Amino acid sequence: MDAYQTIEGTATARIEEKKSEFIAHASFADTEEKALAFLNAVRAEHRTASHNVYAYLLREGARMRYSDDGEPAKTSGLPTLEAIRHAGLTDCIVVTTRYFGGTLLGTGGLVRAYTAAANAALAAARRVTVQACVRGVLCVDYALYEQAQRLLAEAGARQEETEFAGRVTIPFVLLSGRETALLEKLQELCRGSADITLSDPYFAPFG
C-alpha cells in the first residue's frame, strides 16, 4: 500500500480578474459522498454566484470528476482537476465560485483564472502524507514500562495517552510493515508473554 499526499481540512483563496471574483475552496475528501457534500455546502453558501466549478480526485477506485458548471467546455473544471494533479494530491476537491464582473475573459483567460484560483487554494492548504498504519495497544507491568516505551520509540511508533492502572496500557500508532520486528522485541522483553493487540492496516496521516 503506497503512501500519498492530500490536504488536511479546508482552505480558501480569492483572486480577481477583470472585476470577476474567483473564490477557490479546497477540502480533504476521501469518498465521493464527502466530496459532493462539500460541493453542495459551497453551492448553498454562494447561491447567487455565476458559477460553482469543481473537480475532485479520489484514491479509492482512482475516481475523478469535474464540471464546468456553465462555463465554456474545458475552461474551468478540467484546469481545476489538472491543478490537483499537478500538486500531487489525492482525496481532494476544489470548488471555485465565480462572481461575474461584467467583462468576458475568453477561453484562455478563464483557464488562467481558474488555474490560478485552484493553485492558490491548494497552496494555502496544509499538506499531509497519508500512509498505511496499524493501531496497537500494549499492556506491560510497571517494571517494564520504560523499556517498552524505548522500544516503541525506536520503532517510530506514535504513542498516545497512556493509562496507569493495575498495569500500564500504551496505545500507539505505527507504520505498517514495522510491527513484526517490534513484536519480536516486545516478546523478548516480556519473555514471550507480551500483551499486545494490533489492528489491520488502514490509511491515515502519519508524521
Side-chain angles (χ1 to χ4, degrees):
M1 291 183 283
D2 295 329
Y4 66 95
Q5 287 206 316
T6 186
I7 64 172
E8 185 175 69
T10 62
T12 304
R14 298 169 184 258
I15 69 166
E16 188 174 310
E17 185 68 29
K18 294 183 179 178
K19 297 185 180 180
S20 279
E21 184 180 20
F22 295 82
I23 310 167
H25 322 261
S27 177
F28 168 77
D30 58 355
T31 66
E32 198 156 33
E33 289 76 16
K34 290 180 183 177
L36 294 177
F38 182 73
L39 169 62
N40 289 332
V42 173
R43 281 175 170 166
E45 183 181 351
H46 297 279
R47 290 187 186 91
T48 61
S50 308
H51 309 277
N52 283 295
V53 165
Y54 73 89
Y56 59 79
L57 181 60
L58 307 180
R59 180 183 65 88
E60 187 176 351
R63 184 151 178 82
M64 64 186 72
R65 189 175 175 186
Y66 65 87
S67 169
D68 297 305
D69 193 33
E71 293 281 31
K74 298 184 179 179
T75 61
S76 51
L78 185 58
T80 301
L81 180 62
E82 289 303 317
I84 297 171
R85 283 174 166 162
H86 184 73
L89 298 169
T90 308
D91 284 351
C92 179
I93 179 171
V94 176
V95 184
T96 301
T97 300
R98 181 191 182 190
Y99 287 94
F100 183 54
T103 302
L104 296 175
L105 301 183
T107 56
L110 287 171
V111 170
R112 287 190 295 272
Y114 278 103
T115 298
N119 285 340
L122 294 172
R126 182 176 182 270
R127 295 174 71 110
V128 293
T129 300
V130 176
Q131 303 182 70
C133 304
V134 291
R135 182 174 294 277
V137 178
L138 171 66
C139 295
V140 294
D141 294 330
Y142 279 80
L144 300 177
Y145 170 52
E146 289 188 4
Q147 291 168 282
Q149 261 197 323
R150 178 173 48 80
L151 290 177
L152 288 168
E154 288 174 353
R158 186 177 66 217
Q159 298 178 43
E160 299 180 341
E161 187 172 352
T162 300
E163 180 183 333
F164 298 93
R167 303 180 80 198
V168 183
T169 301
I170 313 171
F172 63 91
V173 179
L174 181 72
L175 287 177
S176 180
R178 297 183 180 180
E179 62 269 29
T180 301
L182 175 62
L183 277 172
E184 289 176 357
K185 292 179 180 179
L186 287 172
Q187 290 292 0
E188 183 178 348
L189 173 67
C190 300
R191 299 185 179 182
S193 61
D195 184 358
I196 183 169
T197 58
L198 291 170
S199 73
D200 291 332
Y202 65 98
F203 275 95
F206 188 92

